[in-house]
Every structure is written in structure tokens, then in C-alpha cells.
Amino acid sequence: MTDAQETAAEPDLRTTGGGPPDDVEPAPIPLLEPREGIPPVISTPEALESVVAAFAAGSGPVAVDAERASGYRYGQRAYLVQLRRAGAGTALIDPVGCTDLSGLGEALAGAEWILHAATQDLPCLREIGMVPTLLFDTELAGRLAGFPRVGLGAMVESVLGYALEKGHSAVDWSTRPLPEPWLRYAALDVELLVDLRDALEKELDRQGKLEWAQQEFDAIASAPPPPPRKDPWRRTSGMHKVRRRRQMAVVRELWTARDKVAQRRDVSPGKVLSDAAIVEAALALPVSVHALTALPGFGHRMGRRQLEQWQAAVDRARTLPDAELPQPGQLVAGPPPPRSWADKDPEAAARLSAARAAVSTLAEQLNLPQENLITPDTVRRLCWEPPAEATPEAVGAALAAHGARPWQIEQVTPALTRALTATA
């Protein structure tokens, strides 16, 4: 680490918001450079063995990042994994050539993993055998510390005083070989994660929030993989326009057909057929390929065979018996949408209004986002089915049953108890 970087790693975060006088030109923010240059991409099991040995022999926490090809490929698999650890340097690993990284995951099992927005990367890392037992999420730490911008570039700039290169976050990381500018960008993503973690830990400790963050990190690390989403076709963009059950069946059939094609071709479903086109077909219920071709999204660029497979999906939906048509709303556990509370249960609507106001006020006092103080879903569930007596003990127990962490329960229980009592 250079002298400048050592200085940058010890910022006084309490001075944010200040600046030079208006007549003084601010100093340019230095662009971050890789300390050891761009490492070669590890793409063979033999080369991976050396990386595993080096990182196992390293010390301290390990910075971890992963790049996916969202919008280009089917699914959310990792196409590049970046790591950095003291004593081991930076490694760039190709999960296409090295499909099983469980040996690396085991070598790092006892170390703290530093990730930025961990919940985005953990699923694809889990697929290749990398599962942390301890982690530090720098994005979540920034939220709890009250930073207004918590993207990695913004955090590195405001906390450490360096600018990260931009422009390659949304590229097709399945490209082979990966261009050198992309690899440089990827290496820099883990270059200062350890420094950022250390600075944020000190700031959280100063604010009295370090224990809160540790509880959040433990919850992320111990969370099981989410179950498969039920009826994923209902999340089609523009679905709110589709009202009739027959039209919903068209969306379901087209979505399912598109998903099979996308999976077979390993491309993003949106590149096979857009959500907008699916909704247009559902609303129009075309009776022939000719009618389908006239709809937006099914233009002249689409081949006859493709058009026929989409029309076949529409035809299946058009001929389904009424008993097999999807129901208008997705059945979900828990309370109904809040917009319907005033009609269904006015008292619950009053509780929710008071609880939301209480959470908003408290979040502002604690300088953190409301959704990190307590999830909106937890507040809704508490207000829809409150405890028989709105005592602090009963409210705290209800929050715990809904998955709130101990620090959240301690902070919000008094305010939510007062809100429920006031509207009783």
C-alpha cells in the first residue's frame, strides 16, 4: 500500500459534506490503479491449485466479488470471480474453466469475506462451491452508517478518496477472452475493499452501530437459499394491464415457452421475446400468425418458425378449459396490499399509518434507511395481526417471530408499541 492509500484508509468520516471555499478549485480525485498490475485469469484446475494455496496461506479478511452476464445469458451464474487477500494479492478466476471452486471456498472458510451488496453475489458464488461463514457487507455497512450513496464507486470515493473506473459493470462477462480493460475494472473492484471495510467498521463503532451491522451480516451468512419463486410469470413487466384470466393464461404460456427457448440457447429471456410483446399478445388474443405479426414485438425480423411457436402458445391459452385458467391474484401468505386495508379493515389501516410514521421518525433520528431499521413487510404483518395486548413484550415477540434481528427489536419496539396503543 502506498503512503497516499494508507492516509486514505484512515478518513475522518465526520467531515463529509464540507469542502473548499468557493474560490478554491477542488483537487482532482485520483483514479485508483492496481497495485500489482492486472493478474492473469485463472482458467485451469492446475493454476487454481496455486491460487488456493496462496489464499490459504494469506492473512486477514478476503475481498470477494463476482461478475455475471445479466441481460445476456440465461440465469445468474458467475463468469468471473475476483479475490484479494493480504499475502496473496489479487486473483481473477474464470468459473467457466474452473467450474468447482469448493476447494477455494474451504480454504477460506475461517476467514471473513468482504463483499459489496453480498446478497447479489452469494447465490452465484454458492453455485460454484463458495459459501462464507463470516462476512462484512460494505454496502449494508454504508446504509447503516447513513451514507446517502452506497454504490461501490461512491463509497470508495467518499470514504477513501479514490475514483474507480466506470463503464464496464453492465458488459457481457461471458465474453471470451475478456478484454484487458474489463479485467482491470474487475481487479479494481476488490483493490480497496479491505480498506473500505476497516474504515466503515470504525465509523459504525463511533456511531454505536457496529453490533447492529454484525447481526445483519450474521443473518445474511446464515440465511438458507431462497425457495424457487412461485408463478414467476406473474412478474412479467406490464402485467398490471392484464385483467382477464384468459389473457393471464396467454402470459403464462408465452412466458413458459420463452423460458424454455432461453434456457436451451443460454440467452437472456428478454433477448428471445420482450415482456412488452408478451403483454401485447395477451391483450390482443390473436387468432393467427398473421394477426400476431401485426403486434408490437412480433415484427418482420422474427422468422416464421418463431412466430408459429409463439402463436401455438397463444392457441394453448385460448383453448384451455375455464377450470385451468390462472386465478386473478397470486395467493400469498400474509396481509393483503395496503391500498385495500381502508376497505377491508379500517382499524388495521390506522395502525399501519401510525406505525409507518413512527418508523420514519425513528429512522431519521438514527440516520439510516427505514427499510434497514425494520422491513416494511414486518411492519405490515404486525399491524394486520397485532398482539392481543400491545405491550412491549408482546410487540417484541411478534417482531422476532417475523424475523427481526435483536437490535431492530430493541430500537423499534417502543415506537411501534406506542403506535399500536394510540390506535387501539
Side-chain angles (χ1 to χ4, degrees):
M1 183 187 299
T2 66
D3 291 342
Q5 287 169 328
E6 291 210 11
T7 302
E10 297 283 350
D12 182 358
L13 303 187
R14 288 165 288 183
T15 63
T16 57
D22 292 339
D23 58 345
V24 176
E25 187 71 23
I29 299 174
L31 192 65
L32 185 63
E33 297 286 345
R35 302 177 207 183
E36 299 98 17
I38 304 173
V41 177
I42 304 302
S43 59
T44 66
E46 295 76 20
L48 180 61
E49 288 181 7
S50 299
V51 169
V52 172
F55 275 79
S59 60
V62 55
V64 183
D65 191 25
E67 306 294 348
R68 300 176 298 279
S70 304
Y72 296 94
R73 296 288 182 174
Y74 185 86
Q76 294 295 315
R77 65 169 295 183
Y79 283 95
L80 188 70
V81 175
Q82 310 100 280
L83 304 100
R84 183 173 180 84
R85 192 181 195 189
T90 297
L92 303 178
I93 303 174
D94 178 6
V96 178
C98 304
T99 56
D100 183 4
L101 300 187
S102 57
L104 179 60
E106 292 168 4
L108 299 173
E112 178 188 76
W113 294 23
I114 308 169
L115 298 101
H116 193 81
T119 54
Q120 295 183 19
D121 287 341
L122 288 178
C124 69
L125 290 170
R126 185 182 288 112
E127 287 182 358
I128 52 180
M130 296 186 66
V131 182
T133 55
L134 298 170
L135 67 81
F136 190 106
D137 186 332
T138 49
E139 185 205 44
L140 183 51
R143 291 180 181 276
L144 295 176
F147 282 83
R149 298 168 59 223
V150 293
L152 181 58
M155 293 290 290
V156 167
E157 185 173 320
S158 62
V159 176
L160 302 178
Y162 281 87
L164 288 179
E165 290 188 7
K166 301 177 182 179
H168 301 304
S169 60
V171 299
D172 181 3
W173 288 96
S174 68
T175 302
R176 292 296 183 273
L178 286 166
E180 183 172 316
W182 299 10
L183 296 175
R184 176 189 180 86
Y185 167 92
L188 289 174
D189 270 357
V190 293
E191 184 80 12
L192 289 182
L193 269 185
V194 175
D195 305 76
L196 182 60
R197 172 234 180 272
D198 292 345
L200 289 172
E201 181 181 56
K202 291 179 180 178
E203 177 62 10
L204 287 168
D205 189 37
R206 185 187 72 80
Q207 295 186 21
K209 298 176 180 177
L210 184 56
E211 173 60 26
W212 304 1
Q214 290 169 342
Q215 290 182 27
E216 292 297 307
F217 302 157
D218 290 345
I220 294 173
S222 61
R229 190 183 297 277
K230 184 180 180 181
D231 291 347
W233 58 271
R234 291 184 184 270
R235 294 178 62 85
T236 302
S237 180
M239 190 68 191
H240 62 282
K241 302 176 185 177
V242 182
R243 304 291 186 183
R244 293 157 48 195
R245 293 174 63 199
R246 184 74 58 185
Q247 295 172 332
M248 292 179 184
V250 173
V251 173
R252 183 178 63 185
E253 293 295 330
L254 282 172
W255 189 99
T256 303
R258 179 185 69 175
D259 194 65
K260 291 178 180 177
V261 173
Q263 188 171 14
R264 185 179 71 247
R265 291 168 49 187
D266 189 19
V267 296
S268 169
K271 288 188 174 297
V272 176
L273 186 67
S274 70
D275 280 9
I278 289 178
V279 170
E280 289 289 344
L283 296 177
L285 290 171
V287 297
S288 66
V289 169
H290 179 74
L292 181 69
T293 307
L295 298 177
F298 298 92
H300 62 279
R301 293 184 180 181
M302 195 170 287
R304 179 77 183 183
R305 185 175 178 181
Q306 286 180 294
L307 289 167
E308 287 176 349
Q309 72 177 352
W310 303 137
Q311 184 60 45
V314 174
D315 291 342
R316 286 194 297 273
R318 291 177 64 250
T319 56
L320 275 177
D322 288 351
E324 296 180 21
L325 296 177
Q327 294 301 316
Q330 185 176 12
L331 297 177
V332 294
R339 62 179 178 272
S340 66
W341 285 28
D343 293 329
K344 292 178 180 292
D345 190 338
E347 292 182 357
R351 288 193 295 267
L352 182 61
S353 178
R356 283 174 164 174
V359 169
S360 176
T361 299
L362 182 58
E364 187 174 348
Q365 294 171 354
L366 296 173
N367 190 29
L368 49 75
Q370 297 180 42
E371 64 270 19
N372 292 113
L373 175 59
I374 192 75
T375 67
D377 181 68
T378 298
V379 175
R380 286 193 294 269
R381 290 173 184 270
L382 174 70
C383 293
W384 186 252
E385 295 183 351
E389 292 187 30
T391 64
E393 294 76 17
V395 171
L399 293 173
H402 294 315
R405 260 72 71 191
W407 77 268
Q408 295 175 314
I409 296 171
E410 180 182 359
Q411 293 299 318
V412 304
T413 293
L416 290 178
T417 300
R418 289 192 297 269
L420 295 181
T421 302
T423 56

